[in-house]
mmCIF file of all heavy atoms in Angstrom:
data_model
loop_
_atom_site.group_PDB
_atom_site.id
_atom_site.type_symbol
_atom_site.label_atom_id
_atom_site.label_comp_id
_atom_site.label_asym_id
_atom_site.label_seq_id
_atom_site.Cartn_x
_atom_site.Cartn_y
_atom_site.Cartn_z
ATOM 1 N N LEU A 233 28.818 11.279 1.198
ATOM 2 C CA LEU A 233 29.536 10.162 0.580
ATOM 3 C C LEU A 233 29.455 10.276 -0.867
ATOM 4 O O LEU A 233 28.405 10.551 -1.492
ATOM 5 C CB LEU A 233 28.816 8.760 0.984
ATOM 6 C CG LEU A 233 28.853 8.381 2.455
ATOM 7 C CD1 LEU A 233 28.060 7.101 2.584
ATOM 8 C CD2 LEU A 233 30.293 8.164 2.922
ATOM 9 N N THR A 234 30.623 10.262 -1.521
ATOM 10 C CA THR A 234 30.656 10.434 -2.947
ATOM 11 C C THR A 234 30.248 9.102 -3.627
ATOM 12 O O THR A 234 30.465 8.011 -3.141
ATOM 13 C CB THR A 234 32.126 10.727 -3.453
ATOM 14 O OG1 THR A 234 32.990 9.719 -2.992
ATOM 15 C CG2 THR A 234 32.530 12.060 -2.915
ATOM 16 N N ALA A 235 29.654 9.274 -4.850
ATOM 17 C CA ALA A 235 29.309 8.091 -5.652
ATOM 18 C C ALA A 235 30.446 7.654 -6.461
ATOM 19 O O ALA A 235 31.525 8.198 -6.406
ATOM 20 C CB ALA A 235 28.072 8.471 -6.531
ATOM 21 N N THR A 236 30.312 6.565 -7.103
ATOM 22 C CA THR A 236 31.368 6.013 -7.977
ATOM 23 C C THR A 236 31.750 6.956 -9.092
ATOM 24 O O THR A 236 32.877 6.858 -9.574
ATOM 25 C CB THR A 236 31.044 4.627 -8.440
ATOM 26 O OG1 THR A 236 29.797 4.726 -9.121
ATOM 27 C CG2 THR A 236 30.853 3.611 -7.300
ATOM 28 N N SER A 237 30.813 7.664 -9.582
ATOM 29 C CA SER A 237 31.187 8.624 -10.666
ATOM 30 C C SER A 237 31.844 9.894 -10.061
ATOM 31 O O SER A 237 31.495 10.417 -9.104
ATOM 32 C CB SER A 237 29.865 9.065 -11.474
ATOM 33 O OG SER A 237 30.105 10.089 -12.222
ATOM 34 N N ALA A 238 32.879 10.353 -10.850
ATOM 35 C CA ALA A 238 33.612 11.525 -10.305
ATOM 36 C C ALA A 238 32.777 12.801 -10.309
ATOM 37 O O ALA A 238 33.059 13.743 -9.546
ATOM 38 C CB ALA A 238 34.885 11.729 -11.132
ATOM 39 N N SER A 239 31.752 12.824 -11.147
ATOM 40 C CA SER A 239 30.938 14.016 -11.295
ATOM 41 C C SER A 239 29.549 13.964 -10.594
ATOM 42 O O SER A 239 28.840 14.953 -10.570
ATOM 43 C CB SER A 239 30.674 14.345 -12.765
ATOM 44 O OG SER A 239 29.978 13.274 -13.356
ATOM 45 N N ALA A 240 29.250 12.841 -10.011
ATOM 46 C CA ALA A 240 27.977 12.659 -9.361
ATOM 47 C C ALA A 240 28.095 12.206 -7.941
ATOM 48 O O ALA A 240 29.021 11.525 -7.571
ATOM 49 C CB ALA A 240 27.147 11.603 -10.185
ATOM 50 N N ALA A 241 27.150 12.644 -7.101
ATOM 51 C CA ALA A 241 27.151 12.274 -5.671
ATOM 52 C C ALA A 241 25.792 12.438 -5.108
ATOM 53 O O ALA A 241 24.993 13.212 -5.622
ATOM 54 C CB ALA A 241 28.165 13.242 -4.977
ATOM 55 N N LEU A 242 25.579 11.678 -4.046
ATOM 56 C CA LEU A 242 24.397 11.802 -3.209
ATOM 57 C C LEU A 242 24.775 12.106 -1.861
ATOM 58 O O LEU A 242 25.739 11.586 -1.308
ATOM 59 C CB LEU A 242 23.604 10.466 -3.268
ATOM 60 C CG LEU A 242 23.154 9.960 -4.624
ATOM 61 C CD1 LEU A 242 22.421 8.660 -4.503
ATOM 62 C CD2 LEU A 242 22.112 10.927 -5.288
ATOM 63 N N SER A 243 24.031 13.003 -1.168
ATOM 64 C CA SER A 243 24.292 13.151 0.234
ATOM 65 C C SER A 243 23.405 12.131 0.992
ATOM 66 O O SER A 243 22.376 11.704 0.578
ATOM 67 C CB SER A 243 23.843 14.599 0.626
ATOM 68 O OG SER A 243 22.476 14.796 0.588
ATOM 69 N N VAL A 244 23.990 11.783 2.149
ATOM 70 C CA VAL A 244 23.311 10.813 2.945
ATOM 71 C C VAL A 244 23.101 11.409 4.372
ATOM 72 O O VAL A 244 24.048 11.902 4.998
ATOM 73 C CB VAL A 244 24.158 9.475 3.114
ATOM 74 C CG1 VAL A 244 23.384 8.491 3.945
ATOM 75 C CG2 VAL A 244 24.477 8.981 1.775
ATOM 76 N N THR A 245 21.875 11.373 4.875
ATOM 77 C CA THR A 245 21.568 11.765 6.268
ATOM 78 C C THR A 245 20.865 10.681 6.961
ATOM 79 O O THR A 245 20.243 9.740 6.393
ATOM 80 C CB THR A 245 20.730 13.017 6.262
ATOM 81 O OG1 THR A 245 19.466 12.748 5.578
ATOM 82 C CG2 THR A 245 21.427 14.172 5.515
ATOM 83 N N ILE A 246 20.940 10.761 8.297
ATOM 84 C CA ILE A 246 20.248 9.726 9.103
ATOM 85 C C ILE A 246 19.258 10.458 10.025
ATOM 86 O O ILE A 246 19.631 11.459 10.629
ATOM 87 C CB ILE A 246 21.343 9.057 10.049
ATOM 88 C CG1 ILE A 246 22.480 8.370 9.151
ATOM 89 C CG2 ILE A 246 20.685 8.016 10.953
ATOM 90 C CD1 ILE A 246 22.016 7.338 8.177
ATOM 91 N N GLY A 247 18.058 9.973 9.917
ATOM 92 C CA GLY A 247 17.061 10.652 10.771
ATOM 93 C C GLY A 247 15.619 10.379 10.195
ATOM 94 O O GLY A 247 15.446 10.529 8.979
ATOM 95 N N GLY A 248 14.715 10.034 11.049
ATOM 96 C CA GLY A 248 13.303 9.826 10.626
ATOM 97 C C GLY A 248 12.394 10.060 11.765
ATOM 98 O O GLY A 248 12.783 10.531 12.801
ATOM 99 N N THR A 249 11.094 9.724 11.516
ATOM 100 C CA THR A 249 10.114 10.002 12.503
ATOM 101 C C THR A 249 9.543 8.661 13.008
ATOM 102 O O THR A 249 9.107 7.796 12.247
ATOM 103 C CB THR A 249 8.933 10.907 11.983
ATOM 104 O OG1 THR A 249 9.460 12.067 11.545
ATOM 105 C CG2 THR A 249 7.882 11.054 13.007
ATOM 106 N N SER A 250 9.466 8.446 14.318
ATOM 107 C CA SER A 250 9.020 7.192 14.925
ATOM 108 C C SER A 250 7.509 7.095 14.773
ATOM 109 O O SER A 250 6.730 8.058 15.024
ATOM 110 C CB SER A 250 9.430 7.224 16.427
ATOM 111 O OG SER A 250 8.942 5.980 16.994
ATOM 112 N N VAL A 251 7.037 5.929 14.320
ATOM 113 C CA VAL A 251 5.620 5.635 14.184
ATOM 114 C C VAL A 251 5.394 4.274 14.816
ATOM 115 O O VAL A 251 6.062 3.305 14.576
ATOM 116 C CB VAL A 251 5.170 5.534 12.696
ATOM 117 C CG1 VAL A 251 3.774 5.177 12.544
ATOM 118 C CG2 VAL A 251 5.495 6.915 12.028
ATOM 119 N N ALA A 252 4.422 4.232 15.725
ATOM 120 C CA ALA A 252 4.170 2.999 16.458
ATOM 121 C C ALA A 252 3.932 1.815 15.522
ATOM 122 O O ALA A 252 3.099 1.798 14.622
ATOM 123 C CB ALA A 252 2.987 3.214 17.363
ATOM 124 N N GLY A 253 4.683 0.706 15.758
ATOM 125 C CA GLY A 253 4.461 -0.479 14.996
ATOM 126 C C GLY A 253 5.174 -0.524 13.706
ATOM 127 O O GLY A 253 5.199 -1.494 12.973
ATOM 128 N N GLU A 254 5.688 0.681 13.218
ATOM 129 C CA GLU A 254 6.282 0.806 11.927
ATOM 130 C C GLU A 254 7.727 1.141 11.941
ATOM 131 O O GLU A 254 8.366 1.284 10.938
ATOM 132 C CB GLU A 254 5.489 1.928 11.112
ATOM 133 C CG GLU A 254 4.081 1.656 10.939
ATOM 134 C CD GLU A 254 3.719 0.802 9.722
ATOM 135 O OE1 GLU A 254 4.705 0.446 8.953
ATOM 136 O OE2 GLU A 254 2.591 0.432 9.547
ATOM 137 N N GLY A 255 8.299 1.332 13.180
ATOM 138 C CA GLY A 255 9.642 1.761 13.324
ATOM 139 C C GLY A 255 9.789 3.241 12.919
ATOM 140 O O GLY A 255 9.165 4.015 13.639
ATOM 141 N N LEU A 256 10.589 3.516 11.932
ATOM 142 C CA LEU A 256 10.788 4.952 11.482
ATOM 143 C C LEU A 256 10.262 5.170 10.116
ATOM 144 O O LEU A 256 10.372 4.294 9.260
ATOM 145 C CB LEU A 256 12.301 5.323 11.586
ATOM 146 C CG LEU A 256 12.954 5.235 12.958
ATOM 147 C CD1 LEU A 256 14.480 5.383 12.811
ATOM 148 C CD2 LEU A 256 12.379 6.283 13.861
ATOM 149 N N LYS A 257 9.809 6.389 9.913
ATOM 150 C CA LYS A 257 9.370 6.767 8.547
ATOM 151 C C LYS A 257 10.020 8.053 8.207
ATOM 152 O O LYS A 257 10.565 8.768 9.063
ATOM 153 C CB LYS A 257 7.807 6.971 8.488
ATOM 154 C CG LYS A 257 7.012 5.624 8.527
ATOM 155 C CD LYS A 257 5.568 5.766 8.041
ATOM 156 C CE LYS A 257 4.881 4.377 7.992
ATOM 157 N NZ LYS A 257 3.527 4.552 7.480
ATOM 158 N N SER A 258 9.971 8.447 6.942
ATOM 159 C CA SER A 258 10.668 9.594 6.446
ATOM 160 C C SER A 258 10.035 10.878 7.057
ATOM 161 O O SER A 258 8.938 10.931 7.274
ATOM 162 C CB SER A 258 10.578 9.659 4.902
ATOM 163 O OG SER A 258 11.133 10.855 4.448
ATOM 164 N N SER A 259 10.935 11.792 7.346
ATOM 165 C CA SER A 259 10.551 13.084 7.772
ATOM 166 C C SER A 259 10.531 14.118 6.732
ATOM 167 O O SER A 259 10.316 15.302 6.999
ATOM 168 C CB SER A 259 11.484 13.558 8.967
ATOM 169 O OG SER A 259 11.498 12.638 10.030
ATOM 170 N N VAL A 260 10.770 13.710 5.485
ATOM 171 C CA VAL A 260 10.746 14.617 4.382
ATOM 172 C C VAL A 260 9.396 14.984 3.890
ATOM 173 O O VAL A 260 8.647 14.039 3.498
ATOM 174 C CB VAL A 260 11.601 14.031 3.240
ATOM 175 C CG1 VAL A 260 11.513 14.986 1.998
ATOM 176 C CG2 VAL A 260 13.063 13.856 3.620
ATOM 177 N N ALA A 261 9.035 16.197 4.010
ATOM 178 C CA ALA A 261 7.697 16.659 3.608
ATOM 179 C C ALA A 261 7.433 16.364 2.112
ATOM 180 O O ALA A 261 8.295 16.594 1.249
ATOM 181 C CB ALA A 261 7.518 18.137 3.796
ATOM 182 N N GLY A 262 6.247 15.785 1.837
ATOM 183 C CA GLY A 262 5.847 15.417 0.444
ATOM 184 C C GLY A 262 6.361 14.118 -0.063
ATOM 185 O O GLY A 262 5.948 13.695 -1.101
ATOM 186 N N ALA A 263 7.170 13.416 0.669
ATOM 187 C CA ALA A 263 7.694 12.172 0.202
ATOM 188 C C ALA A 263 6.602 11.121 0.293
ATOM 189 O O ALA A 263 5.670 11.055 1.172
ATOM 190 C CB ALA A 263 8.820 11.663 1.147
ATOM 191 N N VAL A 264 6.544 10.242 -0.758
ATOM 192 C CA VAL A 264 5.545 9.232 -0.848
ATOM 193 C C VAL A 264 6.119 7.886 -0.287
ATOM 194 O O VAL A 264 7.218 7.406 -0.737
ATOM 195 C CB VAL A 264 5.061 9.028 -2.303
ATOM 196 C CG1 VAL A 264 4.073 7.804 -2.376
ATOM 197 C CG2 VAL A 264 4.462 10.257 -2.895
ATOM 198 N N THR A 265 5.469 7.254 0.637
ATOM 199 C CA THR A 265 6.018 6.142 1.368
ATOM 200 C C THR A 265 5.293 4.840 0.911
ATOM 201 O O THR A 265 4.068 4.789 0.926
ATOM 202 C CB THR A 265 5.862 6.354 2.874
ATOM 203 O OG1 THR A 265 6.670 7.424 3.291
ATOM 204 C CG2 THR A 265 6.324 5.087 3.633
ATOM 205 N N THR A 266 6.110 3.753 0.707
ATOM 206 C CA THR A 266 5.591 2.427 0.489
ATOM 207 C C THR A 266 5.890 1.681 1.830
ATOM 208 O O THR A 266 7.086 1.478 2.126
ATOM 209 C CB THR A 266 6.262 1.724 -0.741
ATOM 210 O OG1 THR A 266 6.013 2.522 -1.906
ATOM 211 C CG2 THR A 266 5.760 0.350 -0.888
ATOM 212 N N ASP A 267 4.801 1.137 2.439
ATOM 213 C CA ASP A 267 5.012 0.454 3.794
ATOM 214 C C ASP A 267 4.899 -1.051 3.695
ATOM 215 O O ASP A 267 5.118 -1.714 4.637
ATOM 216 C CB ASP A 267 4.125 1.064 4.774
ATOM 217 C CG ASP A 267 2.586 0.828 4.423
ATOM 218 O OD1 ASP A 267 2.273 -0.021 3.541
ATOM 219 O OD2 ASP A 267 1.745 1.519 5.035
ATOM 220 N N PHE A 268 4.626 -1.573 2.534
ATOM 221 C CA PHE A 268 4.587 -3.070 2.315
ATOM 222 C C PHE A 268 3.429 -3.814 2.992
ATOM 223 O O PHE A 268 3.380 -4.999 2.990
ATOM 224 C CB PHE A 268 5.869 -3.669 2.626
ATOM 225 C CG PHE A 268 7.075 -3.094 1.824
ATOM 226 C CD1 PHE A 268 7.925 -2.171 2.520
ATOM 227 C CD2 PHE A 268 7.263 -3.303 0.535
ATOM 228 C CE1 PHE A 268 8.953 -1.584 1.819
ATOM 229 C CE2 PHE A 268 8.289 -2.720 -0.151
ATOM 230 C CZ PHE A 268 9.152 -1.903 0.465
ATOM 231 N N ASN A 269 2.516 -3.004 3.673
ATOM 232 C CA ASN A 269 1.463 -3.684 4.310
ATOM 233 C C ASN A 269 0.428 -4.297 3.537
ATOM 234 O O ASN A 269 -0.401 -5.079 3.914
ATOM 235 C CB ASN A 269 0.792 -2.663 5.308
ATOM 236 C CG ASN A 269 1.796 -2.269 6.440
ATOM 237 O OD1 ASN A 269 2.739 -3.005 6.799
ATOM 238 N ND2 ASN A 269 1.562 -1.098 7.015
ATOM 239 N N ALA A 270 0.497 -3.971 2.182
ATOM 240 C CA ALA A 270 -0.499 -4.536 1.197
ATOM 241 C C ALA A 270 0.083 -5.839 0.599
ATOM 242 O O ALA A 270 -0.526 -6.469 -0.228
ATOM 243 C CB ALA A 270 -0.855 -3.563 0.099
ATOM 244 N N GLY A 271 1.352 -6.203 0.955
ATOM 245 C CA GLY A 271 1.985 -7.410 0.375
ATOM 246 C C GLY A 271 2.637 -7.209 -0.907
ATOM 247 O O GLY A 271 2.901 -6.105 -1.307
ATOM 248 N N TYR A 272 2.850 -8.359 -1.586
ATOM 249 C CA TYR A 272 3.485 -8.340 -2.928
ATOM 250 C C TYR A 272 2.536 -9.029 -3.949
ATOM 251 O O TYR A 272 1.728 -9.773 -3.513
ATOM 252 C CB TYR A 272 4.779 -9.127 -2.724
ATOM 253 C CG TYR A 272 6.057 -8.498 -3.305
ATOM 254 C CD1 TYR A 272 6.166 -7.143 -3.457
ATOM 255 C CD2 TYR A 272 7.112 -9.322 -3.702
ATOM 256 C CE1 TYR A 272 7.328 -6.611 -4.024
ATOM 257 C CE2 TYR A 272 8.283 -8.808 -4.218
ATOM 258 C CZ TYR A 272 8.390 -7.454 -4.401
ATOM 259 O OH TYR A 272 9.502 -6.916 -4.859
ATOM 260 N N PRO A 273 2.628 -8.702 -5.201
ATOM 261 C CA PRO A 273 3.587 -7.772 -5.829
ATOM 262 C C PRO A 273 3.232 -6.316 -5.685
ATOM 263 O O PRO A 273 2.028 -6.029 -5.420
ATOM 264 C CB PRO A 273 3.508 -8.196 -7.329
ATOM 265 C CG PRO A 273 2.124 -8.698 -7.493
ATOM 266 C CD PRO A 273 1.803 -9.400 -6.184
ATOM 267 N N LEU A 274 4.131 -5.438 -5.917
ATOM 268 C CA LEU A 274 4.003 -4.045 -5.858
ATOM 269 C C LEU A 274 4.460 -3.379 -7.149
ATOM 270 O O LEU A 274 5.426 -3.837 -7.697
ATOM 271 C CB LEU A 274 4.724 -3.379 -4.693
ATOM 272 C CG LEU A 274 4.182 -3.655 -3.267
ATOM 273 C CD1 LEU A 274 5.274 -3.261 -2.210
ATOM 274 C CD2 LEU A 274 2.943 -2.850 -3.061
#
Side-chain angles (χ1 to χ4, degrees):
L233 295 174
T234 58
T236 53
S237 167
S239 61
L242 300 176
S243 69
V244 184
T245 60
I246 305 299
T249 300
S250 179
V251 178
E254 300 276 354
L256 297 172
K257 287 193 173 185
S258 177
S259 299
V260 174
V264 177
T265 296
T266 299
D267 60 18
F268 305 103
N269 293 337
Y272 227 25
L274 285 167

